[in-house]
Amino acid sequence: MIELKNLTKVYGSKSRATTALSGLNLTVDKGEIFGVIGHSGAGKSTLIRCINLLERPTGGEVWVGGRNLTSLGKRELQLERRRIGMIFQHFNLLSSATVYDNIAFPLRLAGTDRTKLKSKVEELLSLVGLEAHSGKYPSQLSGGQKQRVGIARALASDPDVLLCDEATSALDPQTTDSILKLLLDINRKLGLTILLITHEMHVIQSICDRVAVIHEGGIVEQGPVAEVFLKPKHEVTKEFISRDVAGGDAPEVRIAGAAASSGRQAAETAALPYTGGAVFRITCLGENTYGTALSEVVLSTGVHFAILQGTVSTIKEVPYSQLTVSFTGAKEAVELAVAKLRERDFDVEVLG
């Protein structure tokens, strides 16, 4: 659906040239939610603006829906842009226009007749949950409501692709979660391809199917979110995960997913002492996350264990756990415990 081929963007020239993107290659499949994460200055915003050619690349090609946008003339490009919606960090709403008129704005530009325009705006108001706010002005709305208007406006032309430029970074955590849920619902209801950029791993973890990590203008790691999230390879990826998810304060056990499942809102944390023994990282993705397999294996083999650090949470509504565990006992018993865990589809990595 989206394919970037050897994408390059250079600002300035000669001795004052700054390379924002350097030979970047990326593919986003139709209907998926793809996240790009990176620090400020890594090239995220330049990347997303190159996709709809708000920034024209210095080199390379941008393909959307089978068409090479970088080869199109001005008129053809304008038509193709209607298939690409975009929402922004700071909403970019018309302050003197009502919610209704903000959503109707691109339809009026396209010459949509009044009856069809009214029907479409009402449909979008319902989709984003703003039916009761259609006559209000942006100054009367909360940040989350403003972003819902921005989403509805971006969907007015029935795009195939929705680009999200740090769409939740100006919002508080609770509002962020509600916007992410809305984007996930839109993706499922409309089959819309969504590409979002962010500096928050929580955003990636919540709704994305795949993720790419951008650093110094290039992609340093990419893949399915669970794979990148649970087995990061690049130091930048590890830094994001440590900061945004694990908190970077080991040894610690974070039971966010378990706490939520038992009705508690806050994550429950507890530090456990290291008692010696072989150390393993045990990862589980799916229904076994909340099961008793670990305790059953330990009891059946006579091995003692201590959880040194761990997380229980979800990746796009799929539960997972990742625990750093110390096993003590006879060598044969520890090896048997590891073998039994692997038989039950746990990924067990020897750390020391």
Side-chain angles (χ1 to χ4, degrees):
M1 185 60 182
I2 301 174
E3 189 174 4
L4 309 179
K5 300 180 179 180
N6 200 32
L7 195 66
T8 301
K9 178 63 180 179
V10 179
Y11 294 100
S13 60
K14 298 182 180 180
S15 62
R16 296 185 177 182
T18 300
T19 301
L21 299 174
S22 179
L24 187 146
N25 294 283
L26 193 67
T27 300
V28 179
D29 295 330
K30 181 174 179 156
E32 77 172 330
I33 303 180
F34 194 102
V36 178
I37 189 169
H39 292 297
S40 296
K44 303 188 302 298
S45 292
T46 300
L47 168 63
I48 204 167
R49 290 171 64 85
C50 280
I51 292 174
N52 57 10
L53 267 65
L54 290 177
E55 294 276 1
R56 183 162 286 275
T58 307
E61 298 177 351
V62 176
W63 291 74
V64 178
R67 298 207 69 183
N68 180 6
L69 301 191
T70 46
S71 70
L72 300 180
K74 184 177 180 180
R75 176 60 180 163
E76 288 179 300
L77 181 58
Q78 286 177 337
L79 293 174
E80 287 299 314
R81 278 182 176 149
R82 293 181 184 176
R83 300 167 53 211
I84 305 173
M86 189 164 182
I87 58 176
F88 304 87
Q89 176 181 358
H90 297 298
F91 321 126
N92 289 8
L93 302 181
L94 301 171
S95 61
S96 60
T98 63
V99 167
Y100 184 100
D101 289 331
N102 265 282
I103 297 171
F105 182 70
L107 295 170
R108 291 191 174 114
L109 286 180
T112 307
D113 72 75
R114 184 175 300 181
T115 302
K116 185 176 179 181
L117 182 149
K118 183 175 183 293
S119 174
K120 185 64 177 179
V121 173
E122 289 176 350
E123 174 191 331
L124 290 168
L125 284 167
S126 176
L127 180 66
V128 300
L130 290 178
E131 304 99 310
H133 302 279
S134 64
K136 292 183 179 179
Y137 290 88
S139 62
Q140 298 172 290
L141 303 177
S142 67
Q145 290 168 337
K146 290 177 184 177
Q147 195 55 284
R148 286 173 183 268
V149 177
I151 292 170
R153 182 183 58 186
L155 298 178
S157 60
D158 295 318
D160 300 316
V161 173
L162 181 62
L163 304 179
C164 305
D165 186 1
E166 295 276 13
T168 61
S169 62
L171 306 175
D172 63 73
Q174 185 175 357
T175 306
T176 290
D177 287 343
S178 72
I179 294 297
L180 293 178
K181 183 178 183 299
L182 175 61
L183 290 174
L184 186 57
D185 288 344
I186 288 170
N187 167 257
R188 289 171 173 170
K189 288 176 182 176
L190 306 181
L192 197 64
T193 303
I194 299 177
L195 186 146
L196 61 87
I197 65 167
T198 182
H199 62 273
E200 301 172 288
M201 199 67 195
H202 166 69
V203 172
I204 302 294
Q205 180 187 356
S206 296
I207 66 169
C208 293
D209 300 297
R210 292 192 297 140
V211 61
V213 183
I214 188 170
H215 181 61
E216 296 181 347
I219 301 299
V220 295
E221 185 167 1
Q222 64 177 303
V225 173
E227 179 182 310
V228 173
F229 187 82
L230 297 175
K231 292 187 175 182
K233 296 179 176 61
H234 196 276
E235 287 304 314
V236 172
T237 314
K238 293 176 183 177
E239 179 186 339
F240 274 114
I241 293 169
S242 175
R243 185 192 67 186
D244 292 343
V245 180
D249 297 321
E252 180 178 73
V253 181
R254 302 173 62 87
I255 319 293
S261 68
S262 63
R264 292 190 295 262
Q265 294 299 314
E268 178 183 326
T269 62
L272 296 177
Y274 175 60
T275 58
V279 179
F280 302 88
R281 180 180 292 117
I282 301 173
T283 302
C284 176
L285 184 67
E287 60 184 14
N288 282 338
T289 296
Y290 299 132
T292 59
L294 179 57
S295 60
E296 289 171 4
V297 166
V298 168
L299 287 171
S300 69
T301 57
V303 170
H304 295 281
F305 77 100
I307 300 176
L308 308 178
Q309 180 184 355
T311 300
V312 182
S313 190
T314 57
I315 296 176
K316 200 179 179 181
E317 301 176 335
V318 177
Y320 80 93
S321 63
Q322 189 168 67
L323 308 176
T324 302
V325 175
S326 167
F327 283 163
T328 56
K331 180 182 177 182
E332 294 79 8
V334 171
E335 290 175 348
L336 180 59
V338 170
K340 285 191 172 187
L341 285 169
R342 286 173 174 160
E343 286 174 2
R344 298 193 183 203
D345 293 327
F346 284 79
D347 183 270
V348 184
E349 179 184 357
V350 181
L351 299 182

Coordinates of all heavy atoms in Angstrom, one line a residue, residues 7-52:
L7 N 14.5 6.4 0.0 CA 14.1 7.8 0.2 C 15.1 8.7 0.9 O 15.7 8.3 1.9 CB 12.8 7.8 1.1 CG 12.0 9.1 1.1 CD1 11.4 9.4 -0.2 CD2 10.9 9.0 2.2
T8 N 15.4 9.8 0.3 CA 16.4 10.7 0.8 C 15.9 12.1 0.8 O 15.2 12.6 -0.1 CB 17.7 10.7 -0.1 OG1 18.2 9.4 -0.2 CG2 18.8 11.6 0.4
K9 N 16.2 12.8 1.9 CA 15.8 14.2 2.0 C 17.0 15.0 2.6 O 17.4 14.7 3.7 CB 14.6 14.4 2.9 CG 14.1 15.9 3.1 CD 13.7 16.5 1.8 CE 13.3 18.0 2.0 NZ 12.9 18.7 0.7
V10 N 17.4 16.0 1.9 CA 18.6 16.8 2.3 C 18.1 18.3 2.3 O 17.5 18.8 1.3 CB 19.8 16.7 1.4 CG1 20.9 17.6 1.8 CG2 20.2 15.2 1.3
Y11 N 18.3 19.0 3.4 CA 18.0 20.4 3.5 C 19.3 21.2 3.3 O 20.3 20.8 3.8 CB 17.4 20.7 4.9 CG 16.0 20.1 5.1 CD1 15.9 19.0 5.9 CD2 14.9 20.7 4.6 CE1 14.7 18.4 6.1 CE2 13.6 20.1 4.8 CZ 13.5 19.0 5.6 OH 12.3 18.4 5.8
G12 N 19.2 22.3 2.7 CA 20.4 23.1 2.4 C 21.2 22.6 1.3 O 20.8 21.7 0.6
S13 N 22.5 23.1 1.2 CA 23.3 22.6 0.1 C 24.8 22.7 0.5 O 25.1 23.5 1.4 CB 23.1 23.4 -1.2 OG 23.3 24.7 -1.0
K14 N 25.6 22.0 -0.1 CA 27.1 22.0 0.1 C 27.5 21.9 1.5 O 27.1 21.0 2.2 CB 27.7 23.2 -0.6 CG 27.4 23.2 -2.1 CD 28.1 24.4 -2.8 CE 27.8 24.4 -4.3 NZ 28.4 25.6 -5.0
S15 N 28.2 22.9 2.0 CA 28.7 22.8 3.4 C 27.6 22.9 4.4 O 27.8 22.6 5.6 CB 29.8 23.8 3.6 OG 29.3 25.1 3.5
R16 N 26.5 23.5 4.1 CA 25.4 23.7 5.0 C 24.3 22.6 4.9 O 23.2 22.8 5.4 CB 24.8 25.1 4.8 CG 25.8 26.2 5.1 CD 25.1 27.6 5.0 NE 26.0 28.6 5.4 CZ 25.6 29.9 5.4 NH1 24.4 30.3 5.1 NH2 26.5 30.9 5.8
A17 N 24.6 21.6 4.1 CA 23.6 20.5 3.9 C 23.4 19.7 5.2 O 24.3 19.4 5.9 CB 24.0 19.6 2.8
T18 N 22.1 19.4 5.4 CA 21.7 18.6 6.5 C 20.8 17.4 6.0 O 19.8 17.7 5.3 CB 20.9 19.3 7.6 OG1 21.7 20.4 8.1 CG2 20.5 18.4 8.7
T19 N 21.3 16.2 6.2 CA 20.6 15.0 5.7 C 19.5 14.6 6.8 O 19.9 14.1 7.9 CB 21.5 13.9 5.4 OG1 22.5 14.3 4.4 CG2 20.8 12.7 4.9
A20 N 18.3 14.7 6.4 CA 17.2 14.3 7.3 C 16.8 12.8 7.1 O 16.5 12.1 8.1 CB 16.0 15.2 7.1
L21 N 16.8 12.4 5.9 CA 16.6 11.0 5.6 C 17.6 10.5 4.6 O 18.0 11.2 3.7 CB 15.2 10.8 4.9 CG 14.0 11.3 5.7 CD1 12.7 11.2 4.8 CD2 13.8 10.4 6.9
S22 N 18.1 9.3 4.9 CA 19.2 8.8 4.1 C 19.0 7.4 3.6 O 19.1 6.4 4.3 CB 20.5 8.8 5.0 OG 21.6 8.3 4.3
G23 N 18.5 7.3 2.3 CA 18.3 6.0 1.7 C 17.4 5.1 2.4 O 17.6 3.9 2.5
L24 N 16.3 5.6 2.8 CA 15.3 4.9 3.7 C 14.4 4.0 2.8 O 13.8 4.5 1.8 CB 14.5 5.9 4.5 CG 13.6 5.4 5.6 CD1 13.6 6.3 6.8 CD2 12.2 5.2 5.0
N25 N 14.2 2.8 3.2 CA 13.3 1.9 2.6 C 12.3 1.3 3.6 O 12.6 0.9 4.7 CB 14.0 0.7 2.0 CG 15.0 1.1 0.8 OD1 14.5 1.4 -0.3 ND2 16.2 1.2 1.1
L26 N 11.0 1.3 3.2 CA 9.9 1.0 4.1 C 8.7 0.5 3.3 O 8.4 1.1 2.3 CB 9.6 2.1 5.0 CG 8.7 1.9 6.2 CD1 9.5 1.0 7.2 CD2 8.3 3.2 6.9
T27 N 8.0 -0.5 3.8 CA 6.8 -1.0 3.2 C 5.7 -1.1 4.2 O 5.9 -1.7 5.3 CB 7.0 -2.4 2.5 OG1 8.0 -2.2 1.5 CG2 5.7 -2.8 1.8
V28 N 4.5 -0.6 3.9 CA 3.4 -0.7 4.8 C 2.3 -1.4 4.1 O 1.9 -1.0 3.0 CB 2.9 0.7 5.3 CG1 1.7 0.6 6.2 CG2 4.0 1.5 6.0
D29 N 1.8 -2.5 4.6 CA 0.8 -3.3 3.9 C -0.6 -2.7 4.0 O -0.9 -2.0 5.0 CB 0.8 -4.7 4.5 CG 2.1 -5.5 4.3 OD1 2.7 -5.2 3.3 OD2 2.4 -6.3 5.1
K30 N -1.4 -3.0 3.1 CA -2.8 -2.5 3.1 C -3.6 -3.0 4.3 O -3.5 -4.2 4.7 CB -3.5 -3.0 1.8 CG -5.0 -2.5 1.7 CD -5.6 -2.9 0.4 CE -7.0 -2.4 0.4 NZ -7.6 -2.2 -0.9
G31 N -4.2 -2.1 5.0 CA -5.1 -2.4 6.1 C -4.4 -2.5 7.5 O -5.0 -2.8 8.5
E32 N -3.1 -2.4 7.5 CA -2.4 -2.5 8.8 C -2.1 -1.2 9.5 O -2.3 -0.1 8.8 CB -1.0 -3.2 8.6 CG 0.1 -2.4 8.1 CD 1.4 -3.2 8.1 OE1 1.6 -4.0 9.0 OE2 2.3 -2.9 7.2
I33 N -1.9 -1.2 10.7 CA -1.5 0.0 11.5 C 0.0 -0.1 11.7 O 0.5 -1.1 12.4 CB -2.2 0.1 12.8 CG1 -3.7 0.1 12.6 CG2 -1.7 1.4 13.6 CD1 -4.5 0.2 13.9
F34 N 0.8 0.8 11.1 CA 2.2 0.7 11.1 C 2.8 1.9 11.9 O 2.4 3.0 11.6 CB 2.8 0.7 9.7 CG 4.3 0.3 9.6 CD1 4.6 -0.9 9.2 CD2 5.3 1.3 9.9 CE1 6.0 -1.3 9.1 CE2 6.6 0.9 9.9 CZ 7.0 -0.4 9.4
G35 N 3.6 1.7 12.9 CA 4.2 2.7 13.7 C 5.7 3.0 13.4 O 6.4 2.0 13.1
V36 N 6.0 4.2 13.4 CA 7.4 4.6 13.3 C 7.8 5.4 14.5 O 7.2 6.4 14.8 CB 7.7 5.5 12.0 CG1 9.2 5.9 12.0 CG2 7.3 4.7 10.7
I37 N 8.8 4.9 15.3 CA 9.2 5.5 16.5 C 10.6 6.0 16.4 O 11.5 5.4 15.8 CB 9.0 4.6 17.7 CG1 9.2 5.3 19.0 CG2 9.9 3.3 17.6 CD1 8.8 4.5 20.2
G38 N 10.9 7.2 17.0 CA 12.2 7.7 17.0 C 12.3 9.0 17.9 O 11.2 9.5 18.3
H39 N 13.5 9.3 18.3 CA 13.7 10.5 19.1 C 13.4 11.8 18.3 O 13.4 11.7 17.0 CB 15.1 10.6 19.6 CG 15.4 9.5 20.7 ND1 14.7 9.4 21.9 CD2 16.3 8.5 20.7 CE1 15.2 8.4 22.6 NE2 16.1 7.8 21.8
S40 N 13.3 12.9 18.9 CA 13.3 14.2 18.2 C 14.5 14.4 17.3 O 15.6 14.1 17.8 CB 13.2 15.4 19.2 OG 12.0 15.3 20.0
G41 N 14.3 14.8 16.1 CA 15.4 15.0 15.2 C 15.8 13.7 14.4 O 16.8 13.8 13.6
A42 N 15.2 12.6 14.7 CA 15.5 11.4 14.0 C 15.1 11.3 12.5 O 15.6 10.5 11.8 CB 15.0 10.2 14.8
G43 N 14.1 12.2 12.2 CA 13.6 12.2 10.8 C 12.2 11.7 10.7 O 11.6 11.6 9.6
K44 N 11.4 11.6 11.8 CA 10.1 11.1 11.8 C 9.1 12.0 11.0 O 8.4 11.6 10.1 CB 9.5 10.9 13.2 CG 10.3 10.0 14.1 CD 9.5 9.8 15.4 CE 9.2 11.1 16.2 NZ 10.3 11.8 16.6
S45 N 9.1 13.3 11.4 CA 8.2 14.2 10.7 C 8.5 14.4 9.3 O 7.6 14.5 8.4 CB 8.2 15.6 11.5 OG 7.6 15.4 12.8
T46 N 9.8 14.5 9.0 CA 10.2 14.6 7.5 C 9.7 13.4 6.8 O 9.2 13.5 5.6 CB 11.7 14.7 7.4 OG1 12.2 15.8 8.1 CG2 12.1 14.8 6.0
L47 N 9.8 12.2 7.4 CA 9.4 11.0 6.7 C 7.9 11.0 6.4 O 7.5 10.8 5.2 CB 9.7 9.8 7.6 CG 9.0 8.4 7.2 CD1 9.6 8.0 5.9 CD2 9.3 7.4 8.3
I48 N 7.1 11.4 7.4 CA 5.6 11.3 7.1 C 5.2 12.4 6.1 O 4.3 12.3 5.4 CB 4.9 11.4 8.5 CG1 3.5 10.8 8.3 CG2 4.8 12.8 9.0 CD1 2.8 10.5 9.6
R49 N 5.9 13.6 6.2 CA 5.5 14.7 5.2 C 6.0 14.4 3.8 O 5.5 14.9 2.9 CB 6.1 16.0 5.7 CG 5.4 16.5 7.0 CD 6.2 17.7 7.6 NE 6.2 18.8 6.7 CZ 5.2 19.7 6.6 NH1 4.1 19.6 7.4 NH2 5.3 20.7 5.8
C50 N 7.0 13.5 3.7 CA 7.4 13.1 2.3 C 6.4 12.1 1.7 O 6.4 12.0 0.5 CB 8.8 12.4 2.4 SG 10.2 13.6 2.5
I51 N 5.7 11.4 2.5 CA 4.7 10.4 2.0 C 3.6 11.1 1.2 O 3.2 10.6 0.1 CB 4.1 9.5 3.1 CG1 5.3 8.6 3.7 CG2 3.0 8.6 2.6 CD1 4.8 7.8 4.9
N52 N 3.1 12.2 1.7 CA 2.1 12.9 0.9 C 2.7 14.1 0.1 O 2.0 15.0 -0.4 CB 0.9 13.4 1.7 CG 1.4 14.3 2.9 OD1 2.5 14.7 3.0 ND2 0.4 14.5 3.8

